[in-house]
Tab-separated table of all heavy atoms in Angstrom:
chain	number	residue	atom	x	y	z
A	35	SER	N	91.455	78.403	86.131
A	35	SER	CA	92.619	78.658	85.276
A	35	SER	C	93.890	77.991	85.806
A	35	SER	O	94.909	77.971	85.110
A	35	SER	CB	92.853	80.167	85.133
A	35	SER	OG	93.383	80.706	86.327
A	72	VAL	N	81.596	98.121	96.916
A	72	VAL	CA	83.007	97.729	96.907
A	72	VAL	C	83.839	98.931	96.450
A	72	VAL	O	83.817	99.295	95.276
A	72	VAL	CB	83.245	96.515	95.986
A	72	VAL	CG1	84.706	96.095	96.014
A	72	VAL	CG2	82.337	95.355	96.376
A	83	PHE	N	85.554	87.213	103.819
A	83	PHE	CA	85.397	86.706	105.179
A	83	PHE	C	83.932	86.556	105.584
A	83	PHE	O	83.613	85.699	106.410
A	83	PHE	CB	86.216	87.536	106.167
A	83	PHE	CG	87.644	87.078	106.202
A	83	PHE	CD1	88.575	87.557	105.295
A	83	PHE	CD2	88.041	86.087	107.093
A	83	PHE	CE1	89.883	87.095	105.284
A	83	PHE	CE2	89.355	85.609	107.094
A	83	PHE	CZ	90.269	86.114	106.185
A	105	LEU	N	96.153	96.541	98.635
A	105	LEU	CA	96.757	95.781	97.535
A	105	LEU	C	96.893	96.628	96.275
A	105	LEU	O	97.891	96.551	95.578
A	105	LEU	CB	95.944	94.524	97.254
A	105	LEU	CG	95.905	93.517	98.401
A	105	LEU	CD1	94.966	92.371	98.066
A	105	LEU	CD2	97.306	93.002	98.700
A	107	SER	N	95.015	100.549	94.574
A	107	SER	CA	93.975	101.565	94.702
A	107	SER	C	93.027	101.437	93.516
A	107	SER	O	93.447	101.061	92.410
A	107	SER	CB	94.574	102.967	94.750
A	107	SER	OG	94.986	103.370	93.466
A	110	GLU	N	94.151	103.626	90.642
A	110	GLU	CA	95.193	103.013	89.827
A	110	GLU	C	94.634	101.880	88.968
A	110	GLU	O	94.898	101.808	87.769
A	110	GLU	CB	96.286	102.469	90.745
A	110	GLU	CG	97.378	101.708	90.042
A	110	GLU	CD	98.329	101.059	91.032
A	110	GLU	OE1	98.828	101.768	91.919
A	110	GLU	OE2	98.539	99.841	90.918
A	113	GLU	N	91.367	103.486	86.659
A	113	GLU	CA	91.431	104.747	85.955
A	113	GLU	C	92.818	105.058	85.419
A	113	GLU	O	93.022	105.141	84.216
A	113	GLU	CB	90.939	105.883	86.864
A	113	GLU	CG	89.456	105.762	87.143
A	113	GLU	CD	88.944	106.807	88.111
A	113	GLU	OE1	89.574	107.863	88.240
A	113	GLU	OE2	87.897	106.565	88.719
A	118	TRP	N	92.649	101.024	78.010
A	118	TRP	CA	92.298	101.716	76.779
A	118	TRP	C	92.300	103.233	76.928
A	118	TRP	O	91.802	103.940	76.085
A	118	TRP	CB	90.936	101.265	76.284
A	118	TRP	CG	90.947	99.811	75.985
A	118	TRP	CD1	91.661	99.185	75.015
A	118	TRP	CD2	90.251	98.785	76.677
A	118	TRP	NE1	91.456	97.831	75.065
A	118	TRP	CE2	90.567	97.561	76.065
A	118	TRP	CE3	89.364	98.767	77.735
A	118	TRP	CZ2	90.052	96.352	76.492
A	118	TRP	CZ3	88.847	97.567	78.164
A	118	TRP	CH2	89.189	96.368	77.545
A	120	ALA	N	93.658	107.087	76.955
A	120	ALA	CA	94.563	107.812	76.052
A	120	ALA	C	95.747	108.349	76.799
A	120	ALA	O	95.755	108.606	77.922
A	120	ALA	CB	93.807	108.941	75.377
Side-chain angles (χ1 to χ4, degrees):
S35 73
V72 182
F83 277 86
L105 296 175
S107 76
E110 175 187 308
E113 292 176 23
W118 299 295

